[in-house]
Amino acid sequence: MPLASTRPELAGSFAMAASTHWLASQTAMSVLERGGNAFDAAAAAGFVLQVVEPHLNGPGGDLPVVLWSEADQQVHVVCGQGVAPAAATAAAFTDLGLDAVPGTGPLAAVVPGAFGGWLEMLRRWGTWSLRDVLEPAIGYALDGAPVLPRVSATIAAMSSTFTKEWEPSASTYLVDGVAPTPWSRLRLTGLGETYRRVLTQAEAAGGDRDTQLEAARRAWYEGFVAEAVDAFGRDRAWMDTSGERHHGLLTADDLAGWRATVEAPLVGRYRDVEVAKTGPWGQGPTVLQALAVLDRVGLPDRLDDADPTWVHAVVESLKLSMADREAWYGEPDGAPIGAEALLDPAYSAARAVLLDPGAASPDLRPGRPGGLDPVLPRPVPSLERATGGGGATPSPGVGEPTVTRVEGDGAARGDTCHVDVVDRWGNMVSATPSGAWLQSSPVVPGLGFPLGTRGQMFWLEQGLPASLRPGARPRTTLSPALALREGKPWMAFGTPGGDQQDQWQLTFLLRAVHGPRGVDQALQAAIDAPMVHTDHVTSSFYPRQARPGVLVAEDRWPAATLDALRGLGHEVEVVDGWSLGRLSAVARDGEWLRAAADPRSSQGYAVGR
């Protein structure tokens, strides 16, 4: 019997789209209905997400994509993750009296990669013109989109900062000096006009599609957008989490020297499924490492929520893989080992031995791949003060992920978006756009959007894989996923949630793999089922807090299961039953296409036929 779910299980044969916002999902579906492919649809949805979820992402943010191209029968990764500015050295920060990259403001900005990432995907695999792809987003920006309750609350929490320190943000997001009310109409006129200007310059370059896409890229990274970003960081100092005002480091030359890239995925196997992720410049390999451990430990064929043993095994495997993330993940040129060493069968077997089925480990236990000793970041005084050691008050605008809410202390947490698409030709896309949310940094005058703060994921301490280096990618938490069966694409999936993205994805994936094949597998039910994650490992976001041993669980888990987990040594923190994760997924099972989206945010939707 299929599991109960909050929504119908979607099945059809034409196309499917799912995302974290119903308007983005329907935008993608409208593209598919009019002959566009999955890449056209995902890009159009991604640009709409910048407008309808401005508290979660923006044009100045980041974009990783994992996709299946039916034309060449391969999985590809599009890296729209921008790099650190040329001036972003550790000394540049320590000379300012800083021992960490701030969590907000222009000092934490890297090259805005989302626009280039979407364009690179469109150039290689799309079919539509840039105008056709951008017009839905421009329409919502100029005509207005409905203000979600969380958008209203986030703007309200930031309104004092906007008014006193970030005036361009005040003029962009406040209406007559106050936050827009829920379900009112918010127009992002500046953003809409920026995209209109990009289109004008693109079309003036000629009628050829590729010529227009390249002209749009130049307008962004070498033209008026780059010039405005350069002036923004140079002309004025802006308040950030340090409590001081700072100029930015990002220049027009940094933007001009960057392009989105296409890379091979990192692939792991569990039972009869292959899972494709980004390399260790993202945290996606944590899922692959955890799956390799679980494959050796062995899980029951049926994952019953009343059975704590598999939940314990999943959490403990994630603690191991995320400990490795802290020690070994980063840009390849800064890492002492390759990602393949972390997935070596002998290494996975050695890690599996550490998983005690009878007790939760209280320790952070990175491994020794290749016999190398792991090195973890040293404590940072300012971060220790910010996490409570000195009684510091959280700064507005800091943090991730989905599990945090707009707090009474005025701290408005950031978030992420996600979109999945499969078309009738077999193409499949999983994309996780994020960063440059409205609370991250002041709006850039003349552009209508803020820059991102992904640079906060670097450590100023040198000699680590994730150390700050000019031109390096920060070790991002963004983690789209694509799963294959018998060498063919089976499912594209993902979720917002910072450090929790791969934790929630792993639980969902295991439920899908261990469930019955076919439509009765119930993707929707697997998404709806109660979620769990651990806060055991240091957060990637300022102020880099960790809560060793803490297991966060929705209250829909059976009480006996949670009690048993406590008995195994987990410090269980029970939260609202519909608060962990914002998963979405599309799949191809036999002759049917399927899709599902998370009900927790009351805004994610799947559509298709």
Side-chain angles (χ1 to χ4, degrees), residues 61-436:
D62 328 286
L63 174 71
V65 181
V66 183
L67 63 89
W68 170 268
S69 166
E70 189 67 13
D72 62 13
Q73 296 285 292
Q74 290 187 46
V75 180
H76 302 275
V77 170
V78 177
C79 177
Q81 174 56 65
V83 300
T89 63
F93 286 83
T94 56
D95 287 350
L96 294 171
L98 299 173
D99 58 7
V101 178
T104 60
L107 269 181
V110 299
V111 172
F115 188 76
W118 287 125
L119 259 61
E120 184 63 19
M121 185 183 73
L122 285 170
R123 184 183 73 83
R124 292 197 181 217
W125 295 286
T127 63
W128 273 27
S129 71
L130 183 60
R131 173 171 292 278
D132 288 338
V133 169
L134 273 177
E135 276 189 334
I138 293 173
Y140 284 120
L142 298 179
D143 297 337
V147 176
L148 297 167
R150 285 192 65 175
V151 173
S152 175
T154 301
I155 295 174
M158 292 298 297
S159 59
S160 177
T161 297
F162 288 170
T163 302
K164 295 176 182 178
E165 297 288 347
W166 296 358
E167 297 91 342
S169 297
S171 62
T172 300
Y173 301 114
L174 301 182
V175 180
D176 297 326
V178 298
T181 58
W183 304 115
S184 62
R185 186 185 295 262
L186 178 63
R187 293 177 173 85
L188 299 180
T189 306
L191 171 57
E193 293 298 341
T194 292
Y195 277 141
R196 271 186 168 177
R197 188 174 174 186
V198 168
L199 270 181
T200 297
Q201 294 189 16
E203 292 174 344
D208 178 73
R209 177 177 175 274
D210 287 349
T211 298
Q212 291 184 3
L213 289 171
E214 177 58 21
R217 191 202 65 79
R218 288 199 306 270
W220 195 273
Y221 292 99
E222 301 173 29
F224 77 95
V225 173
E227 292 168 0
V229 169
D230 188 295
F232 168 73
R234 175 171 28 84
D235 294 348
R236 176 176 168 179
W238 302 90
M239 181 64 71
D240 58 39
T241 55
S242 70
E244 303 291 336
R245 297 176 182 88
H246 294 109
H247 290 274
L249 301 175
L250 194 62
T251 68
D253 286 342
D254 293 317
L255 271 70
W258 179 88
R259 290 189 78 112
T261 56
V262 175
E263 307 173 0
L266 198 61
V267 178
R269 190 172 186 88
Y270 178 79
R271 295 196 171 193
D272 66 336
V273 173
E274 291 179 301
V275 181
K277 285 283 191 176
T278 73
W281 53 267
Q283 72 173 5
T286 59
V287 161
L288 309 183
Q289 286 193 253
L291 287 171
V293 167
L294 292 171
D295 214 15
R296 285 158 177 79
V297 171
L299 296 182
D301 288 337
R302 178 173 176 267
L303 302 184
D304 188 340
D305 291 348
D307 176 10
T309 60
W310 74 270
V311 182
H312 170 75
V314 168
V315 170
E316 291 300 296
S317 70
L318 283 164
K319 287 161 70 172
L320 290 171
S321 65
M322 294 186 74
D324 274 349
R325 183 195 73 172
E326 292 304 289
W328 303 112
Y329 285 26
E331 277 279 35
D333 63 359
I337 59 163
E340 294 76 13
L342 296 169
L343 295 175
D344 182 88
Y347 180 70
S348 300
R351 298 294 275 165
V353 171
L354 298 178
L355 201 158
D356 185 345
S361 172
D363 302 319
L364 187 65
R365 299 182 290 173
R368 300 179 69 248
L372 299 176
D373 291 327
V375 179
L376 295 171
R378 294 190 294 266
V380 178
S382 70
L383 299 181
E384 290 188 312
R385 291 193 297 271
T387 53
T393 301
S395 301
V398 302
E400 259 263 33
T402 304
V403 293
T404 55
R405 295 170 291 278
V406 178
E407 306 288 355
D409 61 17
R413 299 322 198 249
D415 205 320
T416 301
C417 305
H418 188 77
V419 58
D420 301 300
V421 183
V422 59
D423 65 27
R424 63 185 184 273
W425 298 288
N427 301 302
M428 195 175 283
V429 178
S430 174
T432 309
S434 183

Side-chain angles (χ1 to χ4, degrees), residues 529-572:
M531 280 289 162
V532 65
H533 71 256
T534 176
D535 285 345
H536 187 75
V537 179
T538 301
S539 169
S540 299
F541 289 84
Y542 182 97
R544 312 300 286 263
Q545 190 172 15
R547 299 197 297 162
V550 172
L551 185 157
V552 183
E554 291 181 326
D555 64 17
R556 292 181 294 123
W557 288 95
T561 300
L562 299 180
D563 286 342
L565 291 168
R566 292 186 182 96
L568 291 169
H570 298 280
E571 184 181 335
V572 178

